[in-house]
Amino acid sequence: MTGPASPALVGRDAQLRALLQAIGGPPAVILVQGEAGIGKTRLVRAATERLRAERRTVLLGHCHQLREPFPYGPVLDALRHAASALPPVDRLNPVTGALRGHLPELAGQLPPAPTPPPLDDVRAERHRLFRAVHALLAAAAPATLVVEDLHWADDGTRDLLRFLTDQPPEGLALVVTFRREDLPVPGLPFGHAYRPQPGVRSEVISLAPLDVEDVRNLTGALLGGAPVPKGFAATLHERTAGVPFVIEEVVRSLLDDEGRLPGGAEGPEVLDRLPVPLLLREAMAEQLAGLSPAALRVVRAAAVLRVPADEPLLAAVSGEGADDEKEGAETPGAGLSEAVKAGVLLEQPDGQYGFRHALAQQAAYDAIPGPDRWPIHRRAMAALSTLDPAPLVQLAYHARRAGDLEAWRRHGGAAADHAAAVGDVPLAVEVLEAMLADPKLPPDARGPLALRLSRIAAVGLSYRRVVRLLRHLLSDDFLSRHVRGEARLNLGVLLSNQAGSIAEGRQEILTALPDLHDRPGLAARGLALLAMPAWGSEPLSTHEAWMDEAEKLLAAVEDQDPELTAAVHANKVTLAMLVGSPDAFSLVSTLPVNHPSAAVRRQAARAYSNLCDAAMALGHYGAAEGFAARSRTIAEESGALYPVYLVEMSSVRLHWLTGRWEGLRERAVAAVEMTPEAPLLAVDARLVLGMLALARGEWEEAAEQLGEAGVRDCESGFLPVAVLASAGLIELHLARGALDAALSEAEWAVGRLRRKGIWVWGDQLVPQAVEALLKAGRSGEAAGLVAEFAAGVERRTAPSAHAALGLALGALAEHEGGHEDAAARYAEAKAAYEAMPRPHAAARAAEAEAGVRLALGARDEAARLVGGAAERYAALGATRDAARCRRLLREIGAAGPARRARKAGGGVLSPREAEVARLVALGHTNREIAEVLFLSRRTVDTHVARVLHKLGVRTRNDVREPRPDDRPGPEPTF
């Protein structure tokens, strides 16, 4: 059967224009996302065909579902085709010579390989390779690099693409396609958040299913322009969900010998008889039925192999040569030619042949009778085993499908070990998961594999299936005590870290310790994890005792495991930083960042990510930034995904603290959406969303988000963040006049901090609690709390806590009438916050100082301080805080901060009107808006009327939050 030619692109005109426009304005990064069969490849192919017709360079790389641990493979495969675009060798950057060993096809066009780095310096080698790829792409520019199916990419490829997106070559357009639902980390195609760099065009193109009219047009194109009834198109749309690939395959299968639809154009009843799950399989069966035996053998070989293959490999797996000689039929290769002409297989770059889509491959595989599959898999094993290096993942797959369990165990274990060794942790986890989940795996093999899985998974991001598997294995009796203890310990680490289930993870570790009594190294690692004081309700002394015991156990081990030693030491350094120990920074320098073992360096990466959190809690924001950068660098070169993920989450809080609020709410929302199954990992984002809402006067949003930041979770909540959220809730209650609620929250949070005994984390909580106590007339309790706080932060390196102490002492002095002392305390705190920097807190301290300056009669100085605070709040987007300052300026009778006066004309809202419109859009009443913006009810009524008029709407229900374009800029306050 010869099917119709592949039709032109249908229903994607806007997406094709967007893609071509983005490619035409390099440097550019374009992300094309959509479900399987939705047409990502077709869209990109349509664009690249136009580019090639214009003689522009297109470099195409593919990621495959059944892949071997070959880091950077898709990009290197694409670069093999760059020869015609390269300048003479003397014009190439010398660093490109580092690619000679990776790109033998280009060896004659590349400079000599540079002097190799030290053998143990993996990072230098990796960085040089990345620079070489960057330089080669710059030399080939203008060029378009396409990487298809990024959801199947190895970590190395993602790292390389992240490197390229950070600073793309001037003439490069990078296009990646992926299925969002199949990404290892949902929403992060490059492994962590992608932020477009200045001057780099960024485009996200999302492909949705076709509508009925597009289905009709596509069907007509498949039929050579024949008219398609609406009823048929509607039924086809319903049965295929509008997925283009499925539509094409179904239509191809329905054509009769003359290329027409059965029953004429008026009868869609043929579709009614096909259940949706069978559509594609039935379509493939129709195509296969028209092939000769030789072509069918080749198609079956391709289906069994699962990945594109060259002609010799297909011939070996199909058994083509021997059978054809017996039959005296077609020569070898004739079957392949027929399969390609029929459109069942497609020729791909580098002489590879495969299916148009993974769905087609699966359908063809399902069409092979069970008894016929085994010999094909055996031939695949025989053919693949002759390759160098041997594709271990593929060999394990074919051995299992062929029923050779011994070979399956051998190849599978070797594949997992090799993947882990080269840093491809997700692939190693995937291989071991599949083996452990297989009921054919003998019981005696489960223990060793469970241990390997638990060890490897601890440094990756995947955890859901691993947790389920380990729990199932630990529930059986066949595991030895040693295996059970170590596997349970690793499960505890996985739960505590990746899964965010701290309480469950700590319980698993405590349960594991008795099984590890004669394995002191492992027991020490468990105790070192329990020693982290940010979780649990135990006092600091208990955590310190656990850490002391861990170090004693480790010291008793004669032949220490470097990774275990590094893990315990990493936690010791983190503990010192978390409590503000004076020797914390000197301990940081002892981390094993240059150890030859990647496993040891992963522990260093984890330590630096923890240090980032710890330094933030103390007010060492510059150090936190440096720790985050160091963690990323070490983690990416050593294959540790989890620390990179943690740093990304923590950076949301760091940017809030240091006043980088632009676009921060969107980042925080995205972070929450990324962690639906592990909400405790999103506490930083929840805290930031709550604090941003508080600064803008969005009470309900603030209460909801702050309440989700672990304030009531004593065992699993991250205490440094939880007490910040409690401080926000106290401020919220005070702003709403709910003094009793504020006192209740203060009592709960202060009690929690007091039991833990780490007062350096009270930098925002204590000043808010003192304010609530003073408002309630409980000055004695406030003074006692301040004294306790002062004693707790004494001799601790915690800039934020010491600045907060100044605020609290200032509040006490102000309450007692000591305005001069209070002013000095507030000024010192303001200077300390400026130095960190922490602009929002500095503005708060300035406000506080202005209040006591006003009481001392220094009206001009008070106005200057308040005006500066108002400007800072406005720059941050702290709407309510800025409005509070403007009200105080009105009360003082001083001029407001000098701002541009620009008259809002037409339908453009003034800044004040935009603030009102935003609150109206959020559902606030006029009374509530007046309270938030410190305006009179009559003024708000006037602003609301103007907003409705300018926006051209009748009711407040029609008001939407204004875009930046709706606002002309700041206007005079008075």
Side-chain angles (χ1 to χ4, degrees):
M1 181 183 81
T2 58
S6 184
L9 194 66
V10 172
R12 306 296 189 205
D13 291 347
Q15 292 88 344
L16 181 58
R17 280 196 303 272
L19 179 56
L20 288 169
Q21 287 173 2
I23 291 174
V29 178
I30 305 107
L31 286 70
V32 182
Q33 63 180 12
E35 63 181 283
I38 205 66
K40 301 182 293 295
T41 297
R42 177 66 60 79
L43 174 70
V44 171
R45 187 185 303 152
T48 55
E49 284 173 355
R50 294 195 187 186
L51 296 174
R52 288 191 173 107
E54 298 169 3
R55 299 185 178 278
R56 296 170 65 179
T57 301
V58 176
L59 307 173
L60 181 61
H62 294 272
C63 308
H64 298 296
Q65 182 177 13
L66 191 62
R67 62 181 177 85
E68 299 297 326
F70 175 37
Y72 328 125
V75 176
L76 295 177
D77 284 342
L79 290 176
R80 299 183 203 284
H81 304 283
S84 61
L86 294 179
V89 67
D90 59 350
R91 290 171 51 194
L92 284 174
N93 187 321
V95 75
T96 57
L99 294 171
R100 273 177 165 264
H102 299 277
L103 301 173
E105 299 88 346
L106 301 182
Q109 294 180 256
L110 296 176
T115 303
L119 293 177
D120 60 348
D121 195 344
V122 179
R123 288 163 294 178
E125 182 180 355
R126 169 192 171 95
H127 183 65
R128 189 174 66 178
L129 178 69
F130 284 14
R131 286 177 52 226
V133 170
H134 188 283
L136 195 67
L137 287 169
T144 300
L145 172 62
V146 179
V147 179
E148 292 244 48
D149 295 322
L150 189 60
H151 50 278
W152 287 330
D154 60 277
D155 291 338
T157 296
R158 286 196 179 85
D159 292 343
L160 175 53
L161 292 176
R162 281 203 302 270
F163 180 85
L164 294 174
T165 59
D166 284 344
Q167 197 64 51
E170 279 301 313
L172 179 69
L174 172 63
V175 181
V176 298
T177 71
F178 59 91
R179 304 179 198 164
R180 184 183 177 89
E181 65 276 10
D182 289 339
L183 291 170
V185 183
L188 300 181
F190 298 118
H192 67 60
Y194 164 63
R195 302 187 187 96
Q197 299 299 311
V200 177
R201 181 165 186 168
S202 180
E203 191 80 37
V204 179
I205 300 174
S206 301
L207 299 184
L210 302 180
D211 60 22
V212 174
E213 188 58 32
D214 286 334
V215 171
R216 188 182 184 192
N217 292 336
L218 177 57
T219 307
L222 286 165
L223 298 176
V228 177
K230 290 183 178 180
F232 184 90
T235 303
L236 185 60
H237 177 269
E238 178 186 350
R239 293 291 179 174
T240 62
V243 177
F245 177 76
V246 181
I247 294 167
E248 293 179 31
E249 295 305 310
V250 169
V251 170
R252 291 172 192 272
S253 72
L254 291 177
L255 300 180
D256 59 22
D257 293 339
E258 297 180 5
R260 295 176 301 187
L261 291 173
E266 304 300 325
E269 61 277 359
V270 64
L271 292 172
D272 294 331
R273 296 194 295 268
L274 295 176
V276 174
L278 297 177
L279 284 175
L280 191 55
R281 280 183 288 175
E282 294 290 343
M284 181 57 69
E286 282 290 328
Q287 286 186 291
L288 298 182
L291 297 178
S292 68
L296 183 60
R297 285 196 299 273
V298 173
V299 170
R300 287 180 171 180
V304 164
L305 285 169
R306 296 187 75 186
V307 296
D310 57 23
E311 184 175 347
L313 181 58
L314 286 171
V317 176
S318 68
E320 184 180 70
D323 288 347
D324 286 347
E325 286 175 9
K326 292 177 183 177
E327 295 173 8
E330 303 96 328
T331 59
L336 176 59
S337 298
E338 181 184 344
V340 171
K341 289 178 181 178
V344 180
L345 297 180
L346 290 181
E347 183 175 4
Q348 299 184 9
D350 296 328
Q352 304 277 308
Y353 297 88
F355 291 89
R356 295 174 54 239
H357 197 280
L359 295 174
Q361 178 272 325
Q362 187 61 50
Y365 184 83
D366 292 342
I368 305 173
D372 293 345
R373 294 176 188 164
W374 284 30
I376 305 176
H377 280 292
R378 291 193 188 99
R379 289 196 294 270
M381 287 177 62
L384 293 171
S385 64
T386 64
L387 302 181
D388 186 21
L392 296 171
V393 175
Q394 296 179 54
L395 284 169
Y397 167 76
H398 292 297
R400 177 63 186 90
R401 292 302 179 101
D404 189 341
L405 299 184
E406 181 58 35
W408 169 53
R409 289 173 58 183
R410 185 175 67 256
H411 292 311
D417 290 344
H418 179 55
V422 299
D424 198 344
V425 174
L427 178 59
V429 169
E430 180 184 330
V431 170
L432 292 174
E433 277 182 343
M435 295 180 73
L436 282 165
D438 197 309
K440 292 290 187 180
L441 184 69
D444 63 340
R446 292 184 177 274
L449 285 183
L451 268 187
R452 285 154 98 173
L453 174 64
S454 67
R455 290 167 181 166
I456 293 171
V459 298
L461 283 177
S462 304
Y463 67 87
R464 285 182 288 273
R465 286 188 60 198
V466 178
V467 167
R468 286 197 298 269
L469 273 170
L470 290 177
R471 280 180 165 161
H472 175 71
L473 292 168
L474 288 167
S475 67
D476 291 337
D477 295 330
F478 65 85
L479 295 179
S480 69
R481 176 171 59 81
H482 284 168
V483 169
R484 184 173 65 246
E486 183 178 352
R488 193 179 295 281
L489 171 64
N490 291 334
L491 173 60
V493 172
L494 197 63
L495 287 168
S496 299
N497 293 338
Q498 285 88 327
S501 302
I502 312 297
E504 292 181 56
R506 284 160 54 87
Q507 186 55 52
E508 293 288 354
I509 292 169
L510 287 167
T511 305
L513 290 177
D515 286 333
L516 300 173
H517 67 84
D518 54 351
R519 302 186 71 186
L522 288 174
R525 183 176 186 182
L527 288 167
L529 193 148
L530 294 173
M532 293 296 90
W535 296 275
S537 56
E538 302 87 358
L540 174 60
S541 58
T542 299
H543 295 286
E544 290 175 331
W546 277 329
M547 180 55 70
D548 289 342
E549 181 65 20
E551 289 193 288
K552 289 177 184 176
L553 287 173
L554 205 57
V557 178
E558 292 184 4
D559 187 15
Q560 293 185 1
D561 181 335
E563 182 184 4
L564 286 177
T565 303
V568 173
H569 185 63
N571 283 20
K572 176 183 178 179
V573 177
T574 301
L575 174 59
M577 185 66 71
L578 279 168
V579 301
S581 174
D583 64 346
F585 282 94
S586 61
L587 283 173
V588 171
S589 64
T590 65
L591 289 170
V593 295
N594 294 313
H595 197 280
S597 167
V600 172
R601 295 197 303 276
R602 288 177 196 135
Q603 294 299 329
R606 180 180 63 83
Y608 275 110
S609 72
N610 291 339
L611 288 169
C612 172
D613 259 326
M616 266 194 284
L618 304 178
H620 296 299
Y621 304 133
E625 201 91 55
F627 293 150
R630 198 74 187 273
S631 178
R632 287 191 190 97
T633 300
I634 302 172
E636 289 176 357
E637 62 85 11
S638 63
L641 299 182
Y642 183 61
V644 177
Y645 176 74
L646 277 187
V647 166
E648 286 297 326
M649 301 298 284
S650 298
S651 68
V652 175
R653 176 162 49 110
L654 183 58
H655 284 199
W656 165 67
L657 287 165
T658 53
R660 290 170 281 181
W661 289 16
E662 185 176 355
L664 190 56
R665 185 180 186 280
E666 291 72 22
R667 282 184 58 202
V669 168
V672 171
E673 291 174 349
M674 281 166 49
T675 56
E677 298 185 35
L680 289 173
L681 294 179
V683 291
D684 283 299
R686 294 284 192 184
L687 170 73
V688 169
L689 287 171
M691 289 301 202
L692 292 176
L694 184 60
R696 296 176 69 173
E698 298 166 7
W699 304 142
E700 299 306 322
E701 170 80 358
E704 178 186 351
Q705 297 294 350
L706 293 173
E708 293 291 331
V711 292
R712 290 295 181 270
D713 193 339
C714 291
E715 294 300 324
S716 292
F718 185 62
L719 190 54
V721 168
V723 293
L724 286 180
S726 286
L729 287 172
I730 296 169
E731 180 183 345
L732 173 62
H733 295 318
L734 290 176
R736 303 178 85 171
L739 181 57
D740 288 344
L743 289 168
S744 176
E745 184 65 37
E747 181 179 357
W748 163 265
V750 169
R752 191 173 173 187
L753 197 60
R754 183 179 287 124
R755 287 189 297 275
K756 182 62 69 174
I758 306 179
W759 285 99
V760 290
W761 299 343
D763 60 321
Q764 292 201 57
L765 173 62
V766 170
Q768 289 295 339
V770 167
E771 182 180 350
L773 289 169
L774 292 176
K775 283 183 180 293
R778 293 157 60 176
S779 57
E781 291 180 53
L785 174 59
V786 173
E788 194 175 5
F789 182 49
V793 302
E794 188 178 3
R795 295 189 298 275
R796 298 289 179 178
T797 58
S800 186
H802 290 293
L805 179 60
L807 286 180
L809 289 169
L812 288 178
E814 182 181 0
H815 183 76
E816 297 297 329
H819 295 122
E820 289 285 359
D821 184 24
R825 298 283 190 183
Y826 291 143
E828 289 174 5
K830 175 177 177 292
Y833 286 128
E834 294 278 10
M836 291 180 199
R838 192 158 143 193
H840 189 264
R844 280 295 179 86
E847 267 194 276
E849 183 186 352
V852 292
R853 295 289 182 196
L854 191 60
L856 290 168
R859 298 175 66 85
D860 290 345
E861 178 63 10
R864 183 189 67 79
L865 288 166
V866 175
E871 286 188 325
R872 176 158 286 173
Y873 288 141
L876 289 171
T879 307
R880 185 174 190 275
D881 293 332
R884 183 178 60 249
C885 288
R886 290 196 296 266
R887 181 192 64 173
L888 182 55
L889 285 170
R890 290 194 298 270
E891 292 174 352
I892 295 173
R899 298 192 288 175
R900 291 179 299 138
R902 189 192 292 180
K903 185 175 181 181
V908 179
L909 303 178
S910 72
R912 180 63 55 78
E913 290 165 352
E915 292 174 355
V916 171
R918 180 180 60 81
L919 293 170
V920 169
L922 291 171
H924 290 276
T925 65
N926 286 10
R927 180 184 61 78
E928 292 169 339
I929 295 172
E931 177 186 336
V932 168
L933 297 181
F934 298 95
L935 299 172
S936 70
R937 173 68 181 273
R938 178 175 296 178
T939 300
V940 172
D941 291 343
T942 301
H943 282 311
V944 171
R946 288 177 179 170
V947 166
L948 296 177
H949 174 72
K950 287 186 176 182
L951 296 183
V953 297
R954 291 188 174 185
T955 71
R956 61 194 304 125
N957 292 333
D958 298 322
V959 176
R960 297 292 177 264
E961 186 167 354
R963 304 183 305 274
D965 293 346
D966 296 329
R967 294 169 285 188
E971 65 176 358
T973 304
F974 309 106

